[in-house]
Amino acid sequence: GNSVTQMEGPVTLSEEAFLTINCTYTATGYPSLFWYVQYPGEGLQLLLKATKADDKGSNKGFEATYRKETTSFHLEKGSVQVSDSAVYFCALSDKAQGGSEKLVFGKGTKLTVNP
Amino acid sequence: EAQVTQNPRYLITVTGKKLTVTCSQNMNHEYMSWYRQDPGLGLRQIYYSMNVEVTDKGDVPEGYKVSRKEKRNFPLILESPSPNQTSLYFCASRSGILTQPQHFGDGTRLSIL
């Protein structure tokens, strides 16, 4: 079945450091890929998405490219800020066998950025 | 403002006492879903609904019920809650298009004693 594997945290960085959070997926079809962010005490918010191979999603300085050949969707940001401290979830959306439509999440990576 | 609203935000209750968590969306979305979030396990889908009167089980449906009588509402029912259902619950919705993202509520923290 479909699955998402993302790097385990926690990740701690200093302000202005470069961020990479790895995400790989397994899917039987042609999934759409998402990064969601969860700030403390809040629900999940969409950060960026890509719906087909080689698409690049970007938002708030974050980027991720849909790589079909490596089944990856790694999240990157060139210079993190304290306000980026949150939990980041990689997810895929696809039709499962039987026609059900599911959003499958990775386990989340907690990022802490120190001033 | 487009939003998904869950109530209550917090609830402490006892084993066996039926409870309902409400979820309402104002975006006319066809698809709605419930997830639970547990440390080390990420988010797992409980139930989902692809439209009115159409519901199906997710990955962890045991001990839960749902209904979808109206498009905007998708309540989660725990008929006889148990301590292993203590968790953080999220409702989400999206349009009928699979490539669209889901919109999440702010979460309901349930503690079953």
Side-chain angles (χ1 to χ4, degrees):
Chain A
N2 297 342
S3 67
V4 174
T5 302
Q6 64 181 99
M7 66 185 280
E8 298 206 9
V11 174
T12 302
L13 296 173
S14 298
E15 206 163 25
E16 299 184 4
F18 184 85
L19 169 71
T20 300
I21 301 178
N22 290 337
C23 172
T24 58
Y25 68 90
T26 303
T28 52
Y30 298 92
S32 295
L33 301 174
F34 305 88
W35 277 100
Y36 285 86
V37 59
Q38 185 180 29
Y39 298 103
E42 298 184 13
L44 279 75
Q45 303 173 22
L46 176 70
L47 181 60
L48 52 84
K49 71 169 188 175
T51 58
K52 61 183 189 296
D54 300 324
D55 265 3
K56 177 187 281 189
S58 60
N59 185 26
K60 299 181 182 179
F62 291 89
E63 292 184 340
T65 301
Y66 190 143
R67 301 281 188 207
K68 195 163 166 52
E69 64 275 15
T70 54
T71 62
S72 65
F73 192 54
H74 304 321
L75 183 68
E76 296 182 338
K77 186 174 186 181
S79 176
V80 293
Q81 306 300 312
V82 172
S83 57
D84 294 327
S85 298
V87 181
Y88 292 82
F89 291 92
C90 185
L92 72 81
S93 180
D94 196 9
K95 270 196 195 298
Q97 280 188 322
S100 65
E101 298 178 1
K102 295 189 64 171
L103 189 62
V104 177
F105 288 89
K107 292 186 178 179
T109 302
K110 183 176 182 179
L111 170 67
T112 301
V113 180
N114 295 319
Chain B
E1 180 190 349
Q3 59 186 3
V4 177
T5 304
Q6 298 178 224
N7 280 296
R9 292 292 313 278
Y10 305 91
L11 180 63
I12 301 174
T13 188
V14 297
T15 299
K17 186 176 181 182
K18 180 180 178 180
L19 68 91
T20 299
V21 184
T22 63
C23 174
S24 180
Q25 51 93 4
N26 63 0
M27 295 167 279
N28 201 36
H29 282 166
E30 289 83 5
Y31 184 98
M32 297 186 74
S33 183
W34 277 102
Y35 300 88
R36 60 179 288 175
Q37 183 179 17
D38 301 289
L41 298 176
L43 281 89
R44 295 177 292 168
Q45 189 180 50
I46 303 170
Y47 268 94
Y48 67 96
S49 168
M50 293 179 70
N51 215 323
V52 175
E53 302 290 4
V54 181
T55 63
D56 209 345
K57 296 176 181 178
D59 296 317
V60 287
E62 295 78 19
Y64 304 95
K65 285 175 56 177
V66 293
S67 68
R68 187 91 183 270
K69 294 187 173 65
E70 306 163 283
K71 200 171 187 180
R72 63 182 293 124
N73 295 322
F74 190 46
L76 179 70
I77 302 156
L78 284 71
E79 293 268 5
S80 182
S82 62
N84 65 10
Q85 294 177 298
T86 293
S87 187
L88 179 58
Y89 291 84
F90 289 101
C91 181
S93 74
R94 66 159 168 81
S95 73
I97 303 170
L98 184 60
T99 57
Q100 291 302 305
Q102 294 191 19
H103 297 255
F104 284 79
D106 287 335
T108 295
R109 187 167 289 282
L110 286 184
S111 294
I112 316 293
L113 304 178

